Amino acid sequence: MKIKKISVYQLDLPLSEPYYLSGGRLKFESLDATFLKIETDLGIVGWGEGTPWGNTYLPAHGPGVRAGIETLSSSVLGLDPCKIHHIERAMDICLPGHLYAKAPIDMACWDIWGQVCGRSIADVLGGRYENGTLIASSISTGTPERMLALIKKYREQGYKLHSVKVGGDTELDIQRIRYLEENRQPGEKLFYDANRSWTRSEAITVMNAVSDFNATFEQPVETIEDLSAVRPITQSSISVDESLHTILDMMRIISGNLAEIVNIKLNRVGGLTKARRIRDLALANGIQCYVMATGGSVLADTEVAHLAQTIPQEFRLGTWACQDMLTVDVAPGRGARSVDGVLAVDDTPGLGVAPDEDLLGSPVAVYEI
Ligand code: MG
């Protein structure tokens, strides 16, 4: 089987509410999504998606996804999409780095491989556990009362896990955390995500001020070096998110004993092929995982749900469903859907969802042999 055609689509995905990250540093209202269709000479079709979370969150942006695919397309046309490692190597040789642009191609190849096997991506990745994955809400930064109101809104939808954005003013962050912990319900879990925004001293100040709550902090500081400095003089659990790009980063996190938890963002690490290695290293070292997309439609959520559901329950902390924050649905009623705060995939072969092509419009680029 060979890849004979790659079609690229662009779509804006409006957020239902403007989103503020880390003390109001960032605000955005719409996501620039890229969808990618791979067609093979045997007629099997696979879909991928690359949707960065704005263009200020990570070194990634919508036009960059499409430019990367333009550069990468010639390296994968003619290859067998089921030879996933060959595809990965061809892309890495063609364009070092730029992992987020490779992820949609990788995703579409896994979709095809699953369909060829007649198994879900989760099964091809090692085996799907029956239970779905808890979805973390994403609580944007605001006053403590405003943040609790957002949590209550998600509670009504069944959410039991909340990713609470903090960062910036340390006194206010301490107030936020204390207020939200005091209003946390039994069985509910909150983790505090600073998205790199604290300095070392700010992180140490806040984490030690609220250590009595036994809270988890995600990416409190910018770099792995910063984490190394903060780690020995704080007591709280740490989750690494934005500093985890490659398997080598994962090895540094492990060798430095920097975290109990990692957040594997599929677009950031280059897709499922690279993410599954990070998953395996995490499991071998007793590190728990969140598995998330950087944003996007139900396609991105479904890809994430497949990998998440290969992780044993005790190591699988949660995921995210950006679909709940969008006003556009590219595959109405299909794919992994947010139900009572849980995201789950079934045994449908491959990804299990394709977008409604009428909603995508005409492709913005087509590459073929
Ligand atoms: Mg995070």
Side-chain angles (χ1 to χ4, degrees):
M1 181 164 45
K2 290 180 180 172
I3 297 174
K4 70 167 192 179
K5 187 175 180 183
I6 300 172
S7 303
V8 181
Y9 304 82
Q10 191 279 333
L11 193 68
D12 289 329
L13 302 176
L15 296 169
S16 51
E17 290 185 34
Y19 192 88
Y20 299 88
L21 187 66
S22 301
R25 277 187 310 150
L26 311 174
K27 175 192 174 190
F28 34 92
E29 298 175 337
S30 182
L31 305 179
D32 180 346
T34 300
F35 295 91
L36 174 144
K37 179 169 72 169
I38 287 183
E39 295 172 69
T40 64
D41 58 347
L42 297 186
I44 299 175
V45 171
W47 282 93
E49 178 180 354
T51 305
W53 188 235
N55 61 335
T56 49
Y57 169 58
L58 287 172
H61 65 138
V65 177
R66 297 183 287 279
I69 292 169
E70 180 180 8
T71 301
L72 292 162
S73 59
S74 61
S75 71
V76 299
L77 281 167
L79 296 186
D80 183 343
C82 298
K83 295 185 177 179
I84 295 280
H85 289 179
H86 295 198
I87 298 280
E88 178 194 28
R89 183 167 163 74
M91 290 198 289
D92 284 345
I93 290 172
C94 174
L95 181 65
H98 297 270
L99 297 172
Y100 74 104
K102 296 169 180 171
I105 295 174
D106 179 83
M107 176 178 172
C109 290
W110 280 92
D111 185 14
I112 291 168
W113 192 12
Q115 292 176 61
V116 168
C117 297
R119 307 298 292 255
S120 68
I121 287 177
D123 273 355
V124 182
L125 282 167
R128 183 178 69 86
Y129 288 98
E130 204 55 43
N131 292 339
T133 304
L134 280 183
I135 304 170
S137 71
S138 188
I139 305 298
S140 71
T141 310
T143 64
E145 295 77 14
R146 165 77 182 143
M147 294 172 83
L148 182 60
L150 274 174
I151 288 174
K152 284 179 176 173
K153 194 183 102 180
Y154 280 103
R155 271 179 195 156
E156 289 167 7
Q157 299 172 43
Y159 281 65
K160 292 186 169 57
L161 179 66
H162 305 279
S163 172
V164 178
K165 306 306 173 187
V166 291
D169 183 293
T170 52
E171 283 305 313
L172 185 53
D173 280 334
I174 292 167
Q175 284 176 31
R176 288 176 176 128
I177 294 165
R178 289 203 168 277
Y179 182 76
L180 295 178
E181 285 295 319
E182 284 160 1
N183 286 282
R184 185 163 57 86
Q185 292 195 334
E188 195 169 57
K189 291 182 185 171
L190 279 64
F191 63 100
Y192 297 94
D193 189 355
N195 291 109
R196 302 166 290 173
S197 65
W198 285 323
T199 63
R200 294 181 186 189
S201 63
E202 286 171 340
I204 293 162
T205 298
V206 177
M207 291 167 74
N208 286 344
V210 297
S211 60
D212 49 321
F213 290 116
N214 199 25
T216 294
F217 290 86
E218 187 160 279
Q219 197 73 42
V221 284
E222 182 82 34
T223 65
I224 285 181
E225 288 72 22
D226 293 331
L227 287 167
S228 303
V230 165
R231 177 73 159 167
I233 44 179
T234 54
Q235 289 81 50
S236 303
S237 292
I238 288 178
S239 168
V240 178
D241 187 357
E242 289 90 349
S243 290
L244 174 56
H245 297 266
T246 68
I247 196 168
L248 296 178
D249 295 330
M250 189 65 200
M251 290 168 67
R252 291 167 69 198
I253 291 164
I254 291 165
S255 64
N257 186 29
L258 299 182
E260 289 76 26
I261 302 160
V262 289
N263 191 330
I264 305 171
K265 293 261 174 67
L266 289 184
N267 302 56
R268 189 184 61 227
V269 306
L272 290 164
T273 304
K274 296 181 192 296
R276 67 170 169 167
R277 297 192 190 106
I278 293 172
R279 169 202 65 183
D280 293 342
L281 267 183
L283 295 180
N285 288 276
I287 292 175
Q288 294 172 302
C289 302
Y290 292 105
V291 183
M292 299 184 183
T294 56
S297 78
V298 69
L299 268 73
D301 291 344
T302 303
E303 180 192 30
V304 158
H306 280 287
L307 180 65
Q309 231 164 304
T310 67
I311 296 173
Q313 197 80 54
E314 63 269 31
F315 285 98
R316 186 183 354 143
L317 293 184
T319 184
W320 176 44
C322 186
Q323 61 186 264
D324 287 348
M325 301 172 73
L326 304 175
T327 60
V328 168
D329 190 345
V330 298
R334 306 191 295 278
R337 290 288 161 176
S338 172
V339 178
D340 296 332
V342 172
L343 199 67
V345 286
D346 59 21
D347 281 332
T348 305
L351 183 66
V353 58
D356 184 337
E357 291 190 49
D358 290 340
L359 292 173
L360 298 185
S362 301
V364 294
V366 175
Y367 310 100
E368 58 188 323
I369 49 174

